[in-house]
Amino acid sequence: MMQQNDYGMRAFKTDSKIGLTLSGGGFRASIFHLGVIRRLEELGLMKNISVISAVSGGSIIAAYYVIEMERRLRENLSDLADNKKDIDQIRLEIFEQIAEDFFKALDHNLRCRALIFSPFYHPLRWLKSLWPVCSRSDLMQAEYDKWFYRNNSIDQLPSVTQRKINDTSFVFGPKLILNTTSLLDGSKVPFSRVPVSRFSEFGKVNKNTYKLSRIVGASSCVPGLFPPVPVKGDKLVDGGVSDNQGVEIMLEEQPDIILVSDASGQMEVIHSIKDHVVAVISRTMSILQFQVREKIINILKGWREVDKNAREFAFAHLFLNLKDRSNTPRVSSEFIQALGRIRTDLDQFSLIERESLMYHGYTLMNAQIIKHCTKLKEYISKETDLQQTTCPPLFLYEKKHPQKSALHRRERIKKVLVIGKQKLFTLRSLKKYPWKIGPIVFFVWFLPLLYLYLSGMGHIDWLQDHIGEPFLDYLKGFCPQWIRLIITKILGLEDWSMFTRVATIALCLGLAIYLLSFVMYLLIRKVVSALDAKEYERLSGGTPFTLHWQIFSGYNKDSQEDQKE
């Protein structure tokens, strides 16, 4: 059943093919998928994945992970060739390095850098974005390049096309498929290192030089939030529009085993709904996504039914609760609903949010493999105990010291996860640390604005002469007199000069609000990072990135968590 290659690796039979799909869901999905990948690395399965099909947030982490794993493995070729280290040990060490680097990038809050405060971080690109030459999507792609992809092209993805056991290429990586959707014809448009046939410019592998950040940007281009990404005459958006799990494209690769990591949201039953347009459209979109997801699950079941002896799949989704599975490591049931509602934005995630999402993905995939993948378990080393898992410090602390556990500790973790659904960084920070962040908002933002408003009223004539009138005179060239009359009538103003006065105040206050908000954001981000680290250390007994996950065998049925549930 197994063979050994030159590096002492356990390898699959050549006729076996494993596929891994990573769903969309922003950075929430990326972090959840990291937990899944960690468990697959521990089991020695990740190196045997033949194909990865990724969507949106899954594409972000998948592209970064496979490129970095291949690059860093090449740097360790001498250790592999001399048998100084086992391949699984090296891969797990590299995983921890990649995860740490990924989280350091998240700490910079990419969404705020690219969308809200782009004039400060990308001044030239921001100026271009005011015209059709550039868009918000380009600003986000610039952040991807800076922190993840380093201007790499699709051609830099792992080059494995045949998995020969004695070939060193076995070490380096799977075929990665990045899924997008065409707005023009509604079709799925997958990208991989293998050229895309519909684009004649990509006729050969060495011509497949489109920037990886652009394709990942298209795969994670949420309609409405980002404008469509133009690629060689097509307009591409989020692959989750057509298949947020990436399963249908995976089936075309004809795998024997499929592992699905699904961190997308799920539709919840509601008892009433408001009649206004926004609520109805939002609910309609949720229903459509729910129906697509159900269709994908039914397709998977039908695919397995064709040949139960040869085909199997494991499906790990964010709301899955392992409470009824005995002796199974898991995230406590009280945290699951909050984890499922955490924002999907491309912004900063706290240490508690990261570790909870990762551990949830980790335990779910492990449990689903145990329950549904009999064939896959045959390929896992006999020395590997599927019941023996590692555990992060945040959850290991209570298992090691149940007598020291306290209700307020668990309530604090839950509160942080519940607050995590808030999309606005400042409001989220205020809810977590009201007595620490509140004074910053008051003294750095509100008080200066109040002073500027009161002092500005005394200098309104100067402001109107030097700022308001020149600006509005410029607008007159684009604004006919009849439109100016309509504007003054609607606003209840006497004449256009009164409008210039009001507009001058609004313009100056708007600029002041924006500048002070940026200063406040920088200060809050620094303070919140320090507070998050301190709270994490208090709740976990360890400092971030100084304690690796530790072995935890079995489930402690005497812990307070088990007694509660």
Side-chain angles (χ1 to χ4, degrees):
M1 186 75 67
M2 298 290 178
Q3 301 184 46
Q4 296 282 332
N5 65 8
D6 292 341
Y7 300 114
M9 294 185 297
R10 295 169 53 79
F12 280 103
K13 297 184 300 181
T14 55
D15 60 347
S16 297
K17 191 173 185 179
I18 303 180
L20 172 65
T21 74
L22 304 178
S23 77
F27 281 158
R28 178 184 74 185
S30 299
I31 298 169
F32 181 86
H33 299 327
L34 268 177
V36 170
I37 292 171
R38 182 187 180 97
R39 187 50 180 164
L40 296 179
E41 291 286 11
E42 287 180 356
L43 295 175
L45 294 175
M46 194 65 197
K47 65 178 180 292
N48 294 304
I49 298 292
S50 298
V51 185
I52 298 177
S53 175
V55 181
S56 193
S59 295
I60 296 172
I61 188 60
Y64 179 63
Y65 188 80
V66 298
I67 284 181
E68 285 299 303
M69 179 59 74
E70 181 184 49
R71 182 179 68 81
R72 300 185 195 206
L73 276 173
R74 290 184 185 278
E75 294 173 356
N76 287 272
L77 273 180
S78 58
D79 288 342
L80 288 170
D82 298 337
N83 290 321
K84 293 180 180 179
K85 288 185 177 180
D86 179 76
I87 180 64
D88 293 331
Q89 177 188 353
I90 290 178
R91 287 185 64 99
L92 193 54
E93 291 173 359
I94 292 175
F95 166 85
E96 292 178 344
Q97 296 167 10
I98 294 174
E100 183 170 347
D101 291 342
F102 183 77
F103 288 140
K104 285 180 180 177
L106 263 59
D107 282 338
H108 291 277
N109 204 329
L110 273 59
R111 183 192 65 171
C112 283
R113 290 172 59 95
L115 302 183
I116 302 175
F117 298 119
S118 54
F120 301 102
Y121 294 106
H122 304 282
L124 294 179
R125 287 181 179 271
W126 175 76
L127 287 173
K128 290 181 180 179
S129 70
L130 300 179
W131 286 270
V133 178
C134 184
S135 69
R136 295 189 307 277
S137 297
D138 295 288
L139 293 168
M140 200 70 230
Q141 290 158 29
E143 289 296 311
Y144 289 158
D145 263 331
K146 179 178 177 64
W147 301 107
F148 300 136
Y149 309 125
R150 306 175 185 178
N151 291 314
N152 281 327
S153 65
I154 303 178
D155 198 44
Q156 298 301 313
L157 291 172
S159 57
V160 175
T161 54
Q162 292 183 340
R163 305 179 67 80
K164 297 179 181 178
I165 294 175
N166 292 321
D167 187 348
T168 58
S169 65
F170 183 88
V171 175
F172 298 125
K175 174 182 179 181
L176 174 62
I177 302 173
L178 303 172
N179 295 284
T180 69
T181 304
S182 170
L183 273 187
L184 300 185
D185 60 15
S187 64
K188 299 179 182 69
V189 184
F191 289 86
S192 67
R193 191 170 186 273
V194 178
V196 183
S197 58
R198 69 187 290 170
F199 300 120
S200 59
E201 291 85 352
F202 299 157
K204 298 179 180 179
V205 171
N206 61 6
K207 296 287 186 181
N208 204 1
T209 56
Y210 223 71
K211 288 184 69 172
L212 187 57
S213 61
R214 194 158 188 80
I215 303 306
V216 172
S219 180
S220 57
C221 179
V222 180
L225 180 60
F226 295 102
V229 178
V231 175
K232 299 300 180 182
D234 207 340
K235 296 284 188 178
L236 304 180
V237 294
D238 197 321
V241 171
S242 51
D243 176 7
N244 202 36
Q245 288 70 40
V247 169
E248 289 187 298
I249 294 296
M250 173 61 72
L251 293 177
E252 294 178 10
E253 297 293 319
Q254 299 181 344
D256 302 302
I257 302 167
I258 300 178
L259 306 176
V260 181
S261 177
D262 183 11
S264 59
Q266 294 190 33
M267 187 186 73
E268 298 181 54
V269 177
I270 57 177
H271 301 290
S272 64
I273 185 172
K274 296 180 180 179
D275 293 334
H276 61 76
V277 175
V278 175
V280 172
I281 292 177
S282 176
R283 184 61 177 175
T284 302
M285 294 303 297
S286 296
I287 293 172
L288 287 173
Q289 284 295 311
F290 170 75
Q291 294 296 338
V292 170
R293 187 174 182 275
E294 288 297 300
K295 183 190 77 169
I296 294 300
I297 293 174
N298 289 332
I299 288 174
L300 266 178
K301 291 178 179 178
W303 167 82
R304 182 183 58 187
E305 289 297 318
V306 171
D307 190 349
K308 288 185 177 181
N309 295 324
R311 296 176 177 178
E312 57 189 19
F313 72 89
F315 197 108
H317 63 84
L318 202 56
F319 281 91
L320 182 60
N321 192 341
L322 302 177
K323 178 178 178 179
D324 296 329
R325 302 192 191 182
S326 60
N327 201 36
T328 300
R330 57 185 170 82
V331 170
S332 176
S333 302
E334 62 185 304
F335 299 146
I336 292 178
Q337 290 298 316
L339 282 171
R341 296 189 180 100
I342 284 181
R343 65 204 177 280
T344 58
D345 289 347
L346 305 176
D347 71 345
Q348 189 171 346
F349 277 69
S350 72
L351 297 163
I352 292 174
E353 290 171 334
R354 297 175 196 172
E355 208 149 270
S356 300
L357 282 168
M358 273 191 71
Y359 190 53
H360 194 35
Y362 175 97
T363 54
L364 291 183
M365 183 54 70
N366 187 69
Q368 294 299 81
I369 289 174
I370 292 174
K371 184 174 182 179
H372 299 290
C373 296
T374 304
K375 179 182 176 184
L376 186 61
K377 286 188 287 186
E378 295 177 0
Y379 298 114
I380 298 174
S381 171
K382 292 181 180 179
E383 290 76 27
T384 301
D385 182 3
L386 281 168
Q387 297 294 342
Q388 179 174 286
T389 61
T390 56
C391 188
L394 185 65
F395 295 95
L396 188 66
Y397 182 83
E398 186 167 318
K399 300 176 190 302
K400 280 189 168 184
H401 310 286
Q403 70 279 5
K404 296 182 181 180
S405 300
L407 180 61
H408 69 83
R409 176 182 176 277
R410 296 166 58 80
E411 288 298 321
R412 182 57 189 171
I413 294 175
K414 183 179 179 181
K415 182 178 180 180
V416 170
L417 298 178
V418 170
I419 292 172
K421 69 180 180 181
Q422 171 58 246
K423 297 181 183 297
L424 297 179
F425 173 74
T426 300
L427 290 181
R428 191 165 67 245
S429 302
L430 269 171
K431 287 183 178 181
K432 280 199 295 185
Y433 310 110
W435 299 108
K436 303 287 180 65
I437 304 302
I440 295 176
V441 175
F442 181 78
F443 288 107
V444 177
W445 190 77
F446 178 76
L447 209 57
L449 277 179
L450 183 62
Y451 170 77
L452 288 171
Y453 176 77
L454 296 176
S455 63
M457 292 301 292
H459 301 86
I460 187 62
D461 292 333
W462 184 93
L463 291 171
Q464 182 175 347
D465 292 340
H466 292 81
I467 297 177
E469 289 187 358
F471 177 71
L472 292 169
D473 285 342
Y474 171 77
L475 291 181
K476 282 184 181 180
F478 307 94
C479 185
Q481 185 176 1
W482 64 273
I483 294 181
R484 298 201 297 270
L485 288 173
I486 292 175
I487 291 174
T488 54
K489 291 293 184 183
I490 291 176
L491 296 178
L493 302 175
E494 295 179 2
D495 51 27
W496 184 254
S497 62
M498 181 62 72
F499 176 73
T500 63
R501 190 177 183 86
V502 174
T504 299
I505 297 173
L507 181 65
C508 293
L509 282 178
L511 183 60
I513 288 172
Y514 186 68
L515 292 173
L516 287 173
S517 296
F518 180 62
V519 174
M520 179 182 68
Y521 159 74
L522 291 177
L523 186 57
I524 289 179
R525 192 164 70 83
K526 187 172 183 179
V527 171
V528 166
S529 294
L531 291 173
D532 282 345
K534 186 175 181 180
E535 180 166 54
Y536 176 89
E537 185 174 359
R538 179 174 62 83
L539 295 175
S540 67
T543 305
F545 302 127
T546 60
L547 288 179
H548 296 296
W549 291 24
Q550 298 178 23
I551 294 293
F552 173 70
S553 182
Y555 200 68
N556 186 356
K557 294 186 177 181
D558 296 325
S559 72
Q560 291 187 11
E561 179 177 338
D562 296 318
Q563 292 174 6
K564 181 177 179 178
E565 296 187 350

